[in-house]
Amino acid sequence: IAASAAQDDSVNIFDISTGESKAVIKTPGCPVAIATSNGILYVALHNDKVAILSQEAVISTFKVSTDPCAISVKAETIIVGYQGGSLEAYSLEGIIKTEANFAQIHKERVTKVSFSPDGKFIASGDTSRFINIWNAETYEIIHKKLVHQTARITDFKWNSESTHLATASLDSSVAVWDVQAGKKIAAHQNAHKNGALACEIKDNNEVMSAGADACIKVWNY
C-alpha cells in the first residue's frame, strides 16, 4: 500500500499495484507526517496527537508533548520530532513516553526523522539544514550537525544496508553521506531548480531525486 495525508483531515490509502484508492480515513486533526510498520499507519497530527490507523479506520490516538511534525517507527518504538527541534521516544507497549534522553541539538523544526533499516541508527533533519545521526538503542548522538546544504532539509533516505544516507534540500542540492565516517562522499549542486524535494538511494551507487522543477533524476555517487 501507499498512503497520502491531506489538509482536509484525511489519509488516503492506495493499492500500489492498481493505483486505486482503497480507503479515505478521516483523522482527528490535520495530518503532518506518516510512518508505517507491519501494515499499521502512525500519523502525526497538528493537535499534539498521534493517530494509529489500520488500512480501514482509526484504531486509537495518544497525546504527545507538543505539536509534532515528524515521526518514525521501528519494532516497538515511535520517535516523534517537534516544531521546537526536540525528539522524543514512545513505547508501543502501552503507548508511554520512554526515558530516552535526546540532547537538544536541533534548534529549529525537525523536518524528518527516520530509523535506519537495520534499526541501529536514527537520522533527523531540520529547517536549519542540519542532519544528526543517533544511536537507536541509547539515543546518544553519533554524528552532530552534518552539514553541506544551505537550506531546509526536505527529505533523506537510507540505503538498504544502513551505510549511506542521501539528503535533499530546498537549496536545490542532493548529497550522499557515509554514515560510519560521518562524511559527505558526493554532492550534486543545482540538482533541481527551486528545490530538491525528495530522494531515494539505491545499492548500486545511484541516487534518485525529484524536485520543484517537475523532474526526476538519477545520479551516480
Side-chain angles (χ1 to χ4, degrees), residues 40-149:
I40 301 297
L41 282 71
Y42 300 84
V43 184
L45 305 174
H46 255 318
N47 55 1
D48 302 353
K49 293 180 181 178
V50 170
I52 302 176
L53 281 61
S54 70
Q55 296 179 28
E56 298 176 346
V58 175
I59 299 172
S60 63
T61 63
F62 66 94
K63 189 170 179 58
V64 292
S65 295
T66 183
D67 201 9
C69 49
I71 190 168
S72 186
V73 182
K74 193 75 172 181
E76 296 299 314
T77 302
I78 304 172
I79 304 296
V80 180
Y82 295 106
Q83 296 282 349
S86 61
L87 297 168
E88 289 182 336
Y90 288 81
S91 171
L92 282 174
E93 185 175 350
I95 311 296
I96 57 173
K97 187 167 70 171
T98 71
E99 296 301 316
N101 186 22
F102 284 99
Q104 182 75 43
I105 295 175
H106 293 295
K107 301 303 181 184
E108 296 187 21
R109 181 169 66 92
V110 177
T111 54
K112 184 170 182 177
V113 60
S114 178
F115 280 98
S116 61
D118 64 7
K120 294 181 179 179
F121 306 104
I122 299 165
S124 57
D126 65 23
T127 57
S128 299
R129 70 194 173 98
F130 296 120
I131 294 287
N132 292 323
I133 307 294
W134 310 81
N135 183 306
E137 183 176 350
T138 65
Y139 305 114
E140 294 177 347
I141 190 70
I142 298 173
H143 297 300
K144 178 180 177 180
K145 292 188 175 181
L146 301 181
V147 61
H148 165 74
Q149 278 116 338

Side-chain angles (χ1 to χ4, degrees), residues 27 84 93-94 100 121 130 133 154 159 177 188 200 205:
T27 53
E93 185 175 350
F121 306 104
F130 296 120
I133 307 294
T154 53
N159 70 336
W177 301 84
H188 300 283
E200 190 72 41
N205 288 6

Side-chain angles (χ1 to χ4, degrees), residues 153-167:
I153 299 298
T154 53
D155 192 23
F156 57 76
K157 292 292 194 323
W158 293 92
N159 70 336
S160 64
E161 296 181 349
S162 305
T163 57
H164 293 83
L165 192 75
T167 60

